[in-house]
Amino acid sequence: MDQGYLLRVRGQVQGVGFRPHCWQLARRMGLRGWVLNDAEGVLIAVAGPRAGDFAAALQADAPPLARIEAIEVTPHRFDNSSDPGPGFEIRASGGPGAETRVTPDAATCPDCLAEIRGTGRRAGYAFTNCTNCGPRFTIVTGLPYDRAQTTMAPFALCPACRAEYVDPADRRFHAQPVACPACGPRAWLATRDGAEVPGEAIALAADRLRAGEVLAIKGLGGYHLCCDATNAAAIQRLRARKHRPTKPLALMAPLALIRRHATVSDAAATRLADPAAPILLLPRAGMPLPDSLAPGLDELGWMLPATPLHHLLSDAMARPLVMTSGNLSGEPQAIGNDEARATLGGIAEAFVQHDRAIARRLDDQVERMSPRGPVVLRRGRGSVPGTLPLPPGLPDGQVLACGGQMKSAICLVKSGRALLSHHLGELDAPLTWQAFQQADGDYAGLFDHAPEAVAVDRHPDFRASQHGAERARAAGLPLVRVQHHHAHMAACMAEAGWGAEDGPVAGIILDGLGLGDDGTIWGGEILLGGYAGARRAAALAPAPLPGGDRAQAEPWRNALMRLDAAGLGSAADRLFPDAPRALLRQAASSGMNAPLSSSVGRLFDAAAACLGICPDAQGYEGEAAMRLEALAGRARDVETPRWDLAEITDAGTLDPAPLFHGLIEGLARGTSEAALARGVHLWIAASFARPARALVARGEARAVALSGGCFQNALLTEMIAEALSDLRVLHHARVPAGDGGLALGQAVIALARRGTDWKDPDRITW
């Protein structure tokens, strides 16, 4: 018998080169033993004089894509049956569920980038990858994760690639997408009718982009529409053809080129270079680019090239490229070659295509930097299907949560982990609905998930809620209906690791629209409670939404209602002289198609319209609020107007009348619109921070959670955080504050209610 150790490693440790890394590390340390994958992660046996140092060595030197969450070390005396033998070996995976983990897609690593820019056999090869980079989730077609169950299956390995694949000392050991020009996928340039243009695809594409054409380019999770970002005419043609008049367009360039056009902090540069390769919002600076890339905004969304194909194209162009989702307005990205030509043929003049199929649509992840680090605005490529730890104290169980209608995403929980899906989009679009249903099956297989309960939003008309109810009914499972804003609060608590026994939280929940407990439309609440339940402690005073959904698209409608409520009807008449004011006032008075709402999202719209921002119509959801934030950011060195805060009425509501009196008086005095925009943000921040602080001061809450779509507004978030700086404040980071994080909150609430809402299925009313 021999003294040694067993190491259980948990986290993102499969499919990232962890076993060959252990093999190499053990050989360097002179250790004997073995390593294998199993259903719980990676299991390692080590013996030898330095065996006790192996765990620390792993923590200090892990593979680039590995995310070690825990290493459990157990002293072990090896006998003949478990003797590690004379050397160190990589053993076959063991037990059911082994080899099921699929890691997120990862941007091209430095070694592969050097190869494609070098002179070897992969020089200029657009599909170069290794264990440290390349496609993962976007190519998986089944489990276990091996080449036969990916879209690389049609490409048989050549002898040279096979030798790399089977060599533990090679960085391509068991890299499932490994390929080279002799055996792997190929790219070509195609016309709208599908004809292949003779020549090298990248060079042809660069020539066309320099000539001002719009191209559709096949990426990892779908097609992008691409044009020269310095060419204003090309940008306008892209916008006109895509019917996307003002929504910001994402940009791609190498870091040195981004620095010419944006302010890039050291932290931002590090995040851009992360294997996730997110789109990161950065302030405009330096050499100007056309304003039409993001009209009225002071930030642009930048990403580094994520694949060899994108690197080669960026190298050939040497200028920034627009790289926006390849889709028709309201639909998800195209992923198939024929599909792309059919749907994007009216937009793109040519197509950069290839013969590696995309298994599932996956949008680029969008983030912005904050004083606390990167904050995810849209979850996508590079993050999924990674999991998140659940907070302590919740019951165990498997839950499927179906999320919301807009910015939809699903969440699966199991064994103390949550798998929050990528951004799926608006479920009214048929292709998005198909993607939602595919994601339901995809993630269930990846997580080996069999739900014991289903959680949905309380709104009965959400397609996600209807889908969840059907799933529950078909399987005879409990259905947990969760109030929209309680789910937002719980998502923030869960991400922050707030334990079920840590006490109640005051949740400042500010967003667009969500069905409230009283049947009205909420969107500006302070909730008090925890995972199992929460009550409304305060809220923005409601106002009608005349025209229903049209009030979301036309900010002047919200301004009219708020000005009238503040006794400023004459100001509304002056600001919107050509609008059908009498008709809307009559509708609001009668309650005809004018539901009441406490939405802070609509409050931002109203304030923006008063300042002349998108008064008649928004080109995209949130445009008025985003432009208002940008305007406020231009007044950082100007004294911010401070208006009287709202007093909480006996009904627990916050009246925004002082905000609108301040706006109208400021306009009359000639106060700059930027200063007034900043004053709007400060008023909202202070008005909601004050009652939340009071709940903590009275001992009714132990922390404050900030959630809801309005917290994608960086200025508002920092103003509220500053107002509460001496309190424990819970923020979002890896989980979107908007509806993209809703499903996580639904899932943890369902777990917390296991003892009450998971009733006998025979007595459940779906």
Side-chain angles (χ1 to χ4, degrees):
M1 294 195 296
D2 195 6
Q3 180 68 46
Y5 297 92
L6 285 177
L7 286 74
R8 158 64 62 205
V9 188
R10 303 183 190 277
Q12 185 173 293
V13 291
Q14 293 186 11
V16 295
F18 204 86
R19 290 177 301 163
H21 180 80
C22 290
W23 181 84
Q24 294 173 26
L25 181 61
R27 287 167 62 91
R28 290 199 302 269
M29 296 177 68
L31 301 179
R32 299 181 293 111
W34 45 260
V35 58
L36 59 81
N37 286 343
D38 64 11
E40 296 183 61
V42 170
L43 187 63
I44 307 167
V46 288
R50 299 181 60 194
D53 300 330
F54 193 71
L58 272 182
Q59 287 279 18
D61 180 24
L65 299 184
R67 301 291 182 268
I68 297 175
E69 294 171 1
I71 300 180
E72 301 159 9
V73 182
T74 305
H76 187 77
R77 291 190 67 82
F78 295 98
D79 56 24
N80 291 336
S81 62
S82 60
D83 193 320
F88 194 92
E89 61 181 12
I90 297 174
R91 291 187 173 178
S93 302
E99 295 282 19
T100 60
R101 294 285 185 93
V102 179
T103 57
D105 299 273
T108 306
C109 71
D111 289 334
C112 285
L113 186 55
E115 280 188 274
I116 66 172
R117 289 174 173 165
T119 58
R121 66 192 184 94
R122 291 190 173 91
Y125 184 54
F127 304 93
T128 300
N129 66 85
C130 69
T131 308
N132 299 327
C133 67
R136 302 287 202 282
F137 187 49
T138 51
I139 62 170
V140 173
T141 58
L143 295 172
Y145 173 55
D146 57 34
R147 192 179 183 92
Q149 306 242 52
T150 72
T151 59
M152 289 297 297
F155 303 97
L157 289 170
C158 67
C161 286
R162 169 63 64 181
E164 295 169 329
Y165 183 84
V166 300
D167 181 1
D170 195 283
R171 77 175 198 277
R172 292 190 167 93
F173 177 73
H174 283 197
Q176 305 306 337
V178 64
C180 75
C183 64
R186 59 178 289 269
W188 63 90
L189 187 84
T191 60
R192 286 170 169 164
D193 62 5
E196 182 175 340
V197 179
E200 199 277 319
I202 300 299
L204 292 170
D207 287 343
R208 286 174 174 254
L209 289 169
R210 281 191 288 269
E213 291 191 9
V214 175
L215 301 188
I217 298 175
K218 191 175 184 179
L220 279 178
Y223 273 81
H224 290 97
L225 288 166
C226 178
C227 71
D228 178 355
T230 68
N231 187 329
I235 295 167
Q236 287 305 121
R237 283 198 298 276
L238 170 58
R239 286 196 175 281
R241 293 171 184 173
K242 195 178 179 184
H243 305 293
R244 185 176 179 171
T246 56
K247 192 173 183 179
L249 300 171
L251 304 175
M252 176 180 287
L255 182 58
L257 198 51
I258 294 175
R259 291 188 187 276
R260 297 183 191 175
H261 304 283
T263 299
V264 186
S265 66
D266 291 344
T270 298
R271 188 58 193 162
L272 283 167
D274 187 86
I279 296 172
L280 192 62
L281 302 185
L282 298 171
R284 296 182 191 243
M287 296 173 58
L289 290 170
D291 184 64
S292 57
L293 290 168
L297 303 182
D298 294 339
E299 293 178 318
L300 293 173
W302 291 93
M303 59 180 161
L304 298 182
T307 73
L309 188 151
H310 292 107
H311 277 287
L312 293 167
L313 183 61
S314 291
D315 289 351
M317 286 296 296
R319 65 186 73 176
L321 297 173
V322 169
M323 201 66 70
T324 191
S325 295
N327 63 320
L328 298 177
S329 182
E331 293 188 357
Q333 282 179 291
I335 60 173
N337 292 342
D338 293 341
E339 173 196 3
R341 291 194 302 272
T343 59
L344 305 178
I347 304 174
E349 279 115 343
F351 298 77
V352 177
Q353 302 193 309
H354 58 75
D355 52 0
R356 185 180 67 200
I358 297 172
R360 61 188 51 75
R361 291 176 173 87
L362 193 60
D363 271 317
D364 301 311
Q365 181 151 299
V366 181
E367 302 179 3
R368 79 186 317 161
M369 298 303 295
S370 80
R372 294 165 300 281
V375 175
V376 173
L377 306 182
R378 184 178 75 188
R379 193 166 163 87
R381 174 187 51 76
S383 282
V384 293
T387 61
L388 303 161
L390 292 181
L394 291 174
D396 196 16
Q398 298 193 42
V399 174
L400 165 66
C402 296
Q405 180 75 7
M406 304 284 290
K407 302 177 180 65
S408 62
I410 64 171
C411 183
L412 288 69
V413 297
K414 173 186 175 183
S415 303
R417 309 289 305 177
L419 196 167
L420 179 63
S421 82
H422 57 291
H423 167 83
L424 294 166
E426 164 57 57
L427 294 185
D428 281 341
L431 289 177
T432 305
W433 177 238
Q434 291 177 18
F436 179 92
Q437 294 172 304
Q438 180 187 13
D440 190 359
D442 274 354
Y443 285 108
L446 290 171
F447 216 31
D448 191 23
H449 193 264
E452 302 167 77
V454 180
V456 298
D457 191 275
R458 185 169 291 175
H459 200 302
D461 295 333
F462 283 0
R463 292 192 78 170
S465 299
Q466 295 167 353
H467 173 81
E470 287 298 321
R471 283 286 310 269
R473 180 185 295 111
L477 299 176
L479 181 69
V480 182
R481 295 189 183 274
V482 179
Q483 199 277 322
H484 192 89
H485 299 88
H486 185 201
H488 274 308
M489 183 175 85
C492 183
M493 294 165 60
E495 184 188 359
W498 190 260
E501 306 302 325
D502 287 345
V505 166
I508 301 178
I509 314 301
L510 311 180
D511 73 349
L513 304 172
L515 182 64
D517 289 335
D518 59 0
T520 65
I521 299 171
W522 290 5
E525 278 68 49
I526 296 177
L527 301 182
L528 178 63
Y531 295 113
R535 67 174 178 85
R536 200 183 194 193
L540 184 70
L545 296 176
D549 289 344
R550 290 191 67 182
Q552 297 185 63
E554 300 175 9
W556 74 269
R557 294 171 179 259
N558 302 287
L560 178 66
M561 294 296 98
R562 286 299 182 183
L563 290 169
D564 281 0
L568 295 167
S570 59
D573 294 339
R574 292 194 305 272
L575 288 171
F576 312 111
D578 300 325
R581 303 182 308 281
L583 185 62
L584 256 70
R585 284 166 170 154
Q586 181 180 355
S589 177
S590 67
M592 180 69 68
N593 194 25
L596 290 175
S597 171
S598 61
S599 168
V600 169
R602 303 292 79 77
L603 185 70
F604 270 119
D605 289 349
C610 289
L611 294 177
I613 299 172
C614 307
D616 299 325
Q618 301 190 77
Y620 56 91
E621 182 192 5
E623 179 181 10
M626 290 171 64
R627 295 180 72 157
L628 185 72
E629 179 189 0
L631 182 62
R634 299 166 198 162
R636 292 187 180 276
D637 299 326
V638 176
E639 184 178 355
T640 303
R642 295 178 180 271
W643 304 315
D644 291 341
L645 300 184
E647 296 296 332
I648 301 180
T649 67
D650 292 340
T653 59
L654 301 166
D655 185 357
L659 165 62
F660 289 95
H661 278 278
L663 268 180
I664 298 304
E665 292 167 6
L667 286 171
R669 287 195 301 268
T671 305
S672 76
E673 292 178 348
L676 293 175
R678 197 169 184 87
V680 170
H681 284 76
L682 183 61
W683 188 93
I684 294 173
S687 293
F688 279 92
R690 185 167 66 169
R693 171 181 290 281
L695 289 171
V696 177
R698 293 196 298 266
E700 296 181 62
R702 299 186 61 188
V704 180
L706 309 181
S707 192
C710 291
F711 284 105
Q712 294 189 339
N713 180 320
L715 179 59
L716 176 69
T717 302
E718 294 315 310
M719 283 182 167
I720 292 184
E722 183 178 353
L724 301 171
S725 59
D726 57 327
L727 303 181
R728 174 77 185 274
V729 179
L730 312 181
H731 295 271
H732 284 284
R734 297 173 63 191
V735 174
D739 283 6
L742 205 64
L744 174 63
Q746 294 170 349
V748 293
I749 288 170
L751 282 179
R753 293 176 178 172
R754 179 162 192 156
T756 57
D757 282 13
W758 296 23
K759 303 170 184 176
D760 181 350
D762 291 337
R763 295 188 286 109
I764 294 172
T765 300
W766 288 283

